[in-house]
Amino acid sequence: MQRYIKLLGGLAIAGALSFPAVAADPVKIGFITKFPVEFFATMENAAKAYAAAHPEVEIVYGQGQSGTDIEGQIALIESMVTQGVQGIALTPVDPTVAPALDKAIADGVKIVLMDNDIPGWDGKTALATTNNYNAGVIAGTYLKSVLKDGDTLGILEGVPGVPALDDRVNGMLKGLEGVAVEVVGRGGTNCTQELGVTVAEDILTANPDLKAIYAACGPPAVGATQAIANAGIANDDIVMVGFDACCGELDKIVSGQEDATVAQFPAKMGELGVDSLVKAIRGEKVESLVDTGAGLVTAENVKDYQ
């Protein structure tokens, strides 16, 4: 496990492991993440650490195949209800999974969302997440500090229409206010490295003098660095900013191919999401919103995240 994972989640996991051992009624919950990338693996590892420290808590794990695997996530929700879970903690892949969650709630299952919300849906007990808009502002503020009036920017969106990912873009644009940067291209990537390469190549081809690229997810940020290298553009000739501090981004910062990224704390999301769910099942009071924080990673502090 990389050192940065330990840093992002160490305090949270340590807190879980330090909880006193007390007799408690057994609890069975489900834990569902979107798709197989390092970020969600870190969340799941934090949940496993919580379960190890609380042997009365049984966790059933599930994961979708991609950032758009709506049917897969619905099937996982239904399967876990069938298996008798008392609650489900999940990173919803899309708002259209809400009806499946409503059915689970009708069967007495409590729901805690992690990483991103379902706007307008009031069935959740709690939400453990980064404030993605504020985190996007962090990225935009950094871009504002290194760009000037007249510079051009390309945006690699995540999955357009997913509120948390849209917030990362809208927050970035807010942070960028005050400098007249022109957005000359943008496109969805489904948070995949492959589409990150493709969308970045399209923007670079149409705008050979592009000054900066912002990617709303980690994998497409890494894909964009590949597209930049393929185009023969020197690292110092373009500003590359990502989001997630995952999936190879830290290595790209060390090599100089990526200038900055916004780090979330996925281990805290996993641990606090599970803890909130367990408390709710036991009838204890829980906060409806748990902000798990964010920070800017650059070459100056990247060692702290490795």
Side-chain angles (χ1 to χ4, degrees), residues 165-181:
L165 300 178
D166 290 345
D167 281 349
R168 297 178 185 182
V169 174
N170 294 329
M172 181 277 295
L173 293 172
K174 178 64 176 179
L176 192 56
E177 287 182 358
V179 58
V181 171

Side-chain angles (χ1 to χ4, degrees), residues 33-41 63-69 91 93 190-192 219:
T33 51
K34 290 182 183 177
F35 56 98
V37 293
E38 186 178 3
F39 182 88
F40 295 121
Q63 187 172 78
Q65 298 300 311
S66 72
T68 56
D69 187 12
T91 58
V93 71
N190 289 343
C191 286
T192 67

Side-chain angles (χ1 to χ4, degrees), residues 139-228:
T141 301
Y142 174 82
L143 283 164
K144 180 178 177 179
S145 74
V146 296
L147 297 177
K148 63 182 186 303
D149 290 349
D151 283 344
T152 51
L153 171 68
I155 300 175
L156 307 187
E157 299 171 313
V159 183
V162 173
L165 300 178
D166 290 345
D167 281 349
R168 297 178 185 182
V169 174
N170 294 329
M172 181 277 295
L173 293 172
K174 178 64 176 179
L176 192 56
E177 287 182 358
V179 58
V181 171
E182 181 184 3
V183 176
V184 294
R186 59 194 295 171
T189 64
N190 289 343
C191 286
T192 67
Q193 184 170 332
E194 294 76 14
L195 282 177
V197 174
T198 300
V199 176
E201 285 180 342
D202 289 345
I203 295 174
L204 287 166
T205 299
N207 305 275
D209 295 325
L210 191 72
K211 295 301 182 183
I213 293 176
Y214 170 67
C217 307
V222 174
T225 66
Q226 182 181 333
I228 291 167

Side-chain angles (χ1 to χ4, degrees), residues 9-194:
L11 292 177
I13 295 175
L17 295 176
S18 65
F19 289 163
V22 295
D25 292 335
V27 172
K28 182 177 182 179
I29 66 172
F31 190 91
I32 302 173
T33 51
K34 290 182 183 177
F35 56 98
V37 293
E38 186 178 3
F39 182 88
F40 295 121
T42 302
M43 289 182 66
E44 185 171 303
N45 286 337
K48 290 176 178 177
Y50 183 98
H54 300 78
E56 78 282 3
V57 177
E58 177 186 354
I59 303 181
V60 181
Y61 299 93
Q63 187 172 78
Q65 298 300 311
S66 72
T68 56
D69 187 12
I70 298 168
E71 292 183 359
Q73 185 159 94
I74 290 172
L76 286 168
I77 294 166
E78 293 173 344
S79 172
M80 289 184 177
V81 173
T82 300
Q83 293 177 65
V85 300
Q86 297 160 273
I88 297 175
L90 81 158
T91 58
V93 71
D94 185 273
T96 55
V97 304
L101 295 176
D102 287 332
K103 291 179 181 178
I105 292 170
D107 286 331
V109 176
K110 293 189 179 296
I111 304 297
V112 167
L113 304 182
M114 303 175 294
D115 186 33
N116 58 280
D117 198 3
I118 299 177
W121 184 70
D122 59 3
K124 63 182 178 290
T125 295
L127 169 66
T129 186
T130 302
N131 184 316
N132 282 279
Y133 185 86
N134 290 346
V137 172
I138 292 172
T141 301
Y142 174 82
L143 283 164
K144 180 178 177 179
S145 74
V146 296
L147 297 177
K148 63 182 186 303
D149 290 349
D151 283 344
T152 51
L153 171 68
I155 300 175
L156 307 187
E157 299 171 313
V159 183
V162 173
L165 300 178
D166 290 345
D167 281 349
R168 297 178 185 182
V169 174
N170 294 329
M172 181 277 295
L173 293 172
K174 178 64 176 179
L176 192 56
E177 287 182 358
V179 58
V181 171
E182 181 184 3
V183 176
V184 294
R186 59 194 295 171
T189 64
N190 289 343
C191 286
T192 67
Q193 184 170 332
E194 294 76 14

